Tab-separated table of all heavy atoms in Angstrom:
chain	number	residue	atom	x	y	z
M	486	SER	N	115.256	80.744	102.031
M	486	SER	CA	116.320	81.357	102.840
M	486	SER	C	115.834	82.454	103.572
M	486	SER	O	116.625	83.224	104.287
M	486	SER	CB	117.447	81.710	102.012
M	486	SER	OG	117.147	82.707	101.052
M	487	ALA	N	114.569	82.792	103.557
M	487	ALA	CA	114.037	84.058	104.277
M	487	ALA	C	114.308	83.821	105.778
M	487	ALA	O	114.097	82.723	106.346
M	487	ALA	CB	112.519	84.090	103.968
M	488	PRO	N	114.729	84.858	106.378
M	488	PRO	CA	114.880	84.735	107.808
M	488	PRO	C	113.493	84.349	108.540
M	488	PRO	O	112.468	84.686	108.098
M	488	PRO	CB	115.267	86.017	108.246
M	488	PRO	CG	115.773	86.795	107.091
M	488	PRO	CD	114.977	86.168	106.013
M	489	LEU	N	113.634	83.632	109.584
M	489	LEU	CA	112.385	83.340	110.340
M	489	LEU	C	112.708	83.817	111.766
M	489	LEU	O	113.673	83.626	112.419
M	489	LEU	CB	112.248	81.832	110.484
M	489	LEU	CG	111.065	81.327	111.241
M	489	LEU	CD1	109.813	81.644	110.613
M	489	LEU	CD2	111.217	79.769	111.331
M	490	PHE	N	111.743	84.589	112.232
M	490	PHE	CA	111.850	85.261	113.484
M	490	PHE	C	110.825	84.618	114.463
M	490	PHE	O	109.616	84.664	114.153
M	490	PHE	CB	111.608	86.703	113.411
M	490	PHE	CG	112.633	87.444	112.390
M	490	PHE	CD1	112.336	87.574	111.209
M	490	PHE	CD2	113.837	87.800	112.907
M	490	PHE	CE1	113.244	88.128	110.279
M	490	PHE	CE2	114.713	88.393	112.089
M	490	PHE	CZ	114.437	88.579	110.752
M	491	LEU	N	111.208	84.248	115.558
M	491	LEU	CA	110.375	83.683	116.524
M	491	LEU	C	110.651	84.270	117.913
M	491	LEU	O	111.815	84.588	118.371
M	491	LEU	CB	110.593	82.120	116.704
M	491	LEU	CG	110.259	81.201	115.514
M	491	LEU	CD1	110.682	79.765	115.742
M	491	LEU	CD2	108.822	81.313	115.223
M	492	LEU	N	109.480	84.488	118.576
M	492	LEU	CA	109.642	84.912	120.031
M	492	LEU	C	108.718	84.061	120.869
M	492	LEU	O	107.781	83.506	120.490
M	492	LEU	CB	109.184	86.355	120.045
M	492	LEU	CG	110.035	87.453	119.491
M	492	LEU	CD1	109.308	88.738	119.646
M	492	LEU	CD2	111.442	87.497	120.276
M	493	PRO	N	109.142	83.959	122.052
M	493	PRO	CA	108.336	83.196	123.084
M	493	PRO	C	107.098	84.069	123.256
M	493	PRO	O	107.153	85.328	123.191
M	493	PRO	CB	109.264	83.063	124.285
M	493	PRO	CG	110.305	84.147	124.153
M	493	PRO	CD	110.402	84.277	122.753
M	494	PRO	N	106.064	83.496	123.676
M	494	PRO	CA	104.841	84.385	124.097
M	494	PRO	C	105.059	85.259	125.259
M	494	PRO	O	105.983	85.026	125.955
M	494	PRO	CB	103.810	83.265	124.220
M	494	PRO	CG	104.507	82.041	124.525
M	494	PRO	CD	105.873	82.164	123.960
M	495	ASP	N	104.177	86.078	125.345
M	495	ASP	CA	104.232	87.003	126.476
M	495	ASP	C	104.357	86.427	127.841
M	495	ASP	O	104.952	86.850	128.752
M	495	ASP	CB	103.128	88.106	126.342
M	495	ASP	CG	103.211	88.895	125.125
M	495	ASP	OD1	104.397	88.996	124.702
M	495	ASP	OD2	102.304	89.563	124.814
M	496	ASP	N	103.534	85.358	128.011
M	496	ASP	CA	103.509	84.710	129.248
M	496	ASP	C	104.688	83.857	129.586
M	496	ASP	O	104.830	83.228	130.689
M	496	ASP	CB	102.283	83.920	129.404
M	496	ASP	CG	102.089	82.804	128.403
M	496	ASP	OD1	102.996	82.746	127.485
M	496	ASP	OD2	101.152	81.981	128.379
M	497	VAL	N	105.650	83.668	128.668
M	497	VAL	CA	106.962	83.185	128.994
M	497	VAL	C	107.803	84.261	129.434
M	497	VAL	O	108.065	85.227	128.673
M	497	VAL	CB	107.529	82.401	127.784
M	497	VAL	CG1	108.998	82.047	128.124
M	497	VAL	CG2	106.810	81.203	127.552
M	498	SER	N	108.150	84.275	130.597
M	498	SER	CA	108.808	85.457	131.184
M	498	SER	C	110.115	85.822	130.413
M	498	SER	O	111.143	85.093	130.290
M	498	SER	CB	109.358	85.161	132.672
M	498	SER	OG	110.032	86.175	133.170
M	499	LEU	N	110.064	86.984	129.839
M	499	LEU	CA	111.233	87.509	129.264
M	499	LEU	C	112.161	88.036	130.191
M	499	LEU	O	113.322	88.135	129.985
M	499	LEU	CB	110.832	88.685	128.247
M	499	LEU	CG	109.998	88.188	127.054
M	499	LEU	CD1	109.569	89.553	126.329
M	499	LEU	CD2	110.845	87.367	126.200
M	500	GLU	N	111.680	88.385	131.389
M	500	GLU	CA	112.613	88.717	132.558
M	500	GLU	C	113.618	87.662	132.868
M	500	GLU	O	114.685	87.877	133.206
M	500	GLU	CB	111.841	89.141	133.745
M	500	GLU	CG	110.990	90.474	133.510
M	500	GLU	CD	110.250	90.831	134.738
M	500	GLU	OE1	110.300	90.061	135.742
M	500	GLU	OE2	109.495	91.757	134.700
M	501	GLY	N	113.153	86.511	132.616
M	501	GLY	CA	114.080	85.362	132.953
M	501	GLY	C	115.187	85.250	132.016
M	501	GLY	O	116.216	84.543	132.219
M	502	LEU	N	115.016	85.963	130.924
M	502	LEU	CA	116.172	85.842	129.904
M	502	LEU	C	117.044	87.099	130.017
M	502	LEU	O	117.957	87.296	129.234
M	502	LEU	CB	115.379	85.922	128.497
M	502	LEU	CG	114.332	84.915	128.246
M	502	LEU	CD1	113.744	85.053	126.838
M	502	LEU	CD2	114.892	83.570	128.620
M	503	GLN	N	116.795	87.863	130.979
M	503	GLN	CA	117.646	89.045	131.080
M	503	GLN	C	119.036	88.615	131.473
M	503	GLN	O	119.303	87.730	132.179
M	503	GLN	CB	117.119	90.004	132.170
M	503	GLN	CG	115.840	90.721	131.745
M	503	GLN	CD	115.238	91.659	132.896
M	503	GLN	OE1	115.956	91.951	133.855
M	503	GLN	NE2	114.079	92.002	132.682
M	504	GLY	N	119.995	89.415	131.001
M	504	GLY	CA	121.362	89.173	131.311
M	504	GLY	C	122.054	88.189	130.426
M	504	GLY	O	123.228	88.086	130.488
M	505	VAL	N	121.265	87.546	129.676
M	505	VAL	CA	121.842	86.575	128.845
M	505	VAL	C	121.534	86.877	127.378
M	505	VAL	O	121.704	86.135	126.508
M	505	VAL	CB	121.438	85.164	129.090
M	505	VAL	CG1	121.943	84.736	130.436
M	505	VAL	CG2	119.850	84.981	129.034
M	506	VAL	N	121.101	88.110	127.175
M	506	VAL	CA	120.639	88.536	125.790
M	506	VAL	C	121.837	88.560	124.842
M	506	VAL	O	121.629	88.326	123.652
M	506	VAL	CB	119.911	89.838	125.880
M	506	VAL	CG1	119.499	90.246	124.519
M	506	VAL	CG2	118.731	89.746	126.699
M	507	SER	N	122.932	88.717	125.346
M	507	SER	CA	124.097	88.829	124.420
M	507	SER	C	124.284	87.511	123.619
M	507	SER	O	124.919	87.491	122.655
M	507	SER	CB	125.311	89.135	125.230
M	507	SER	OG	125.563	88.137	126.155
M	508	SER	N	123.797	86.469	124.152
M	508	SER	CA	123.832	85.249	123.389
M	508	SER	C	122.797	85.025	122.449
M	508	SER	O	122.892	84.097	121.699
M	508	SER	CB	123.916	83.988	124.380
M	508	SER	OG	122.653	83.951	124.980
M	509	ILE	N	121.887	86.026	122.378
M	509	ILE	CA	120.938	85.915	121.229
M	509	ILE	C	121.686	86.226	120.010
M	509	ILE	O	122.526	87.124	119.933
M	509	ILE	CB	119.869	87.045	121.420
M	509	ILE	CG1	118.863	86.568	122.612
M	509	ILE	CG2	119.060	87.120	120.160
M	509	ILE	CD1	117.874	87.584	122.848
M	510	ASP	N	121.536	85.426	119.039
M	510	ASP	CA	122.452	85.396	117.912
M	510	ASP	C	121.810	85.691	116.584
M	510	ASP	O	120.640	85.380	116.420
M	510	ASP	CB	123.263	84.082	117.916
M	510	ASP	CG	124.606	84.216	117.304
M	510	ASP	OD1	124.923	85.304	116.847
M	510	ASP	OD2	125.279	83.194	117.233
M	511	ALA	N	122.648	86.083	115.839
M	511	ALA	CA	122.178	86.290	114.346
M	511	ALA	C	123.370	85.878	113.488
M	511	ALA	O	124.380	86.432	113.760
M	511	ALA	CB	121.706	87.662	114.082
M	512	TRP	N	123.196	85.060	112.589
M	512	TRP	CA	124.300	84.664	111.796
M	512	TRP	C	123.879	84.276	110.444
M	512	TRP	O	122.637	83.990	110.207
M	512	TRP	CB	125.050	83.498	112.420
M	512	TRP	CG	124.434	82.168	112.493
M	512	TRP	CD1	124.514	81.259	111.507
M	512	TRP	CD2	123.513	81.714	113.524
M	512	TRP	NE1	123.844	80.144	111.895
M	512	TRP	CE2	123.192	80.452	113.069
M	512	TRP	CE3	123.143	82.230	114.704
M	512	TRP	CZ2	122.346	79.554	113.921
M	512	TRP	CZ3	122.316	81.395	115.438
M	512	TRP	CH2	121.926	80.096	115.115
M	513	THR	N	124.808	84.317	109.576
M	513	THR	CA	124.529	83.907	108.231
M	513	THR	C	125.379	82.735	107.963
M	513	THR	O	126.524	82.560	108.197
M	513	THR	CB	124.922	84.986	107.199
M	513	THR	OG1	124.205	86.094	107.460
M	513	THR	CG2	124.603	84.536	105.835
M	514	GLU	N	124.592	81.677	107.460
M	514	GLU	CA	125.381	80.468	107.132
M	514	GLU	C	125.509	80.367	105.611
M	514	GLU	O	124.681	80.745	104.887
M	514	GLU	CB	124.692	79.367	107.635
M	514	GLU	CG	124.505	79.344	109.195
M	514	GLU	CD	123.702	78.153	109.727
M	514	GLU	OE1	123.446	77.212	108.961
M	514	GLU	OE2	123.297	78.201	110.848
M	515	GLY	N	126.542	79.804	105.154
M	515	GLY	CA	126.797	79.615	103.743
M	515	GLY	C	128.194	79.441	103.520
M	515	GLY	O	129.001	79.323	104.420
M	516	PRO	N	128.582	79.243	102.450
M	516	PRO	CA	127.764	79.170	101.149
M	516	PRO	C	127.214	77.867	100.921
M	516	PRO	O	127.371	77.017	101.749
M	516	PRO	CB	128.836	79.501	100.080
M	516	PRO	CG	130.094	78.761	100.565
M	516	PRO	CD	130.108	78.937	102.137
M	517	THR	N	126.608	77.697	99.775
M	517	THR	CA	125.961	76.393	99.585
M	517	THR	C	127.120	75.567	99.184
M	517	THR	O	128.033	75.735	98.402
M	517	THR	CB	125.048	76.443	98.331
M	517	THR	OG1	125.822	76.938	97.206
M	517	THR	CG2	123.831	77.272	98.646
M	518	SER	N	127.234	74.374	99.949
M	518	SER	CA	128.354	73.482	99.636
M	518	SER	C	127.923	72.132	100.322
M	518	SER	O	127.022	72.108	101.237
M	518	SER	CB	129.648	73.987	100.303
M	518	SER	OG	129.531	74.159	101.676
M	519	PRO	N	128.618	71.075	99.944
M	519	PRO	CA	128.110	69.786	100.500
M	519	PRO	C	128.403	69.702	102.041
M	519	PRO	O	129.361	70.270	102.585
M	519	PRO	CB	129.068	68.754	99.805
M	519	PRO	CG	129.590	69.515	98.592
M	519	PRO	CD	129.710	71.001	99.012
M	520	GLY	N	127.648	68.918	102.654
M	520	GLY	CA	127.921	68.657	104.082
M	520	GLY	C	127.296	67.311	104.400
M	520	GLY	O	126.572	66.675	103.645
M	521	ILE	N	127.883	66.646	105.453
M	521	ILE	CA	127.488	65.300	105.835
M	521	ILE	C	127.177	65.271	107.290
M	521	ILE	O	127.612	66.081	108.047
M	521	ILE	CB	128.644	64.328	105.405
M	521	ILE	CG1	129.797	64.610	106.276
M	521	ILE	CG2	128.926	64.236	103.952
M	521	ILE	CD1	130.864	63.531	106.090
M	522	ALA	N	126.316	64.263	107.535
M	522	ALA	CA	126.122	64.010	108.996
M	522	ALA	C	126.705	62.553	109.222
M	522	ALA	O	126.536	61.711	108.429
M	522	ALA	CB	124.679	64.059	109.328
M	523	VAL	N	127.334	62.378	110.311
M	523	VAL	CA	127.877	61.127	110.703
M	523	VAL	C	127.471	60.777	112.102
M	523	VAL	O	127.083	61.672	112.836
M	523	VAL	CB	129.439	61.054	110.561
M	523	VAL	CG1	129.817	61.437	109.133
M	523	VAL	CG2	130.063	62.019	111.596
M	524	GLY	N	127.418	59.529	112.530
M	524	GLY	CA	127.048	59.153	113.781
M	524	GLY	C	126.830	57.648	113.820
M	524	GLY	O	127.172	56.916	112.948
M	525	ARG	N	126.208	57.307	114.924
M	525	ARG	CA	125.895	55.817	115.134
M	525	ARG	C	124.313	55.679	115.151
M	525	ARG	O	123.685	56.392	115.952
M	525	ARG	CB	126.522	55.348	116.393
M	525	ARG	CG	126.322	53.947	116.770
M	525	ARG	CD	127.043	53.667	118.053
M	525	ARG	NE	126.574	54.295	119.189
M	525	ARG	CZ	127.106	54.327	120.272
M	525	ARG	NH1	128.233	53.764	120.580
M	525	ARG	NH2	126.484	54.997	121.285
M	526	GLU	N	123.951	54.764	114.376
M	526	GLU	CA	122.557	54.448	114.321
M	526	GLU	C	122.164	53.617	115.475
M	526	GLU	O	122.927	52.701	115.897
M	526	GLU	CB	122.152	53.703	113.010
M	526	GLU	CG	122.206	54.701	111.859
M	526	GLU	CD	121.599	53.948	110.549
M	526	GLU	OE1	122.376	53.355	109.925
M	526	GLU	OE2	120.391	54.183	110.325
M	527	THR	N	120.978	53.923	116.110
M	527	THR	CA	120.438	53.122	117.156
M	527	THR	C	119.082	52.572	116.738
M	527	THR	O	118.555	53.081	115.769
M	527	THR	CB	120.461	53.926	118.452
M	527	THR	OG1	119.424	54.855	118.330
M	527	THR	CG2	121.831	54.563	118.742
Side-chain angles (χ1 to χ4, degrees):
Chain M
S486 62
L489 180 67
F490 300 94
L491 293 175
L492 285 175
D495 291 342
D496 58 356
V497 171
S498 172
L499 291 174
E500 292 180 1
L502 309 181
Q503 288 178 15
V505 292
V506 179
S507 60
S508 64
I509 291 175
D510 205 356
W512 69 90
T513 301
E514 300 177 14
T517 57
S518 60
I521 63 171
V523 302
R525 183 177 61 191
E526 288 190 273
T527 69

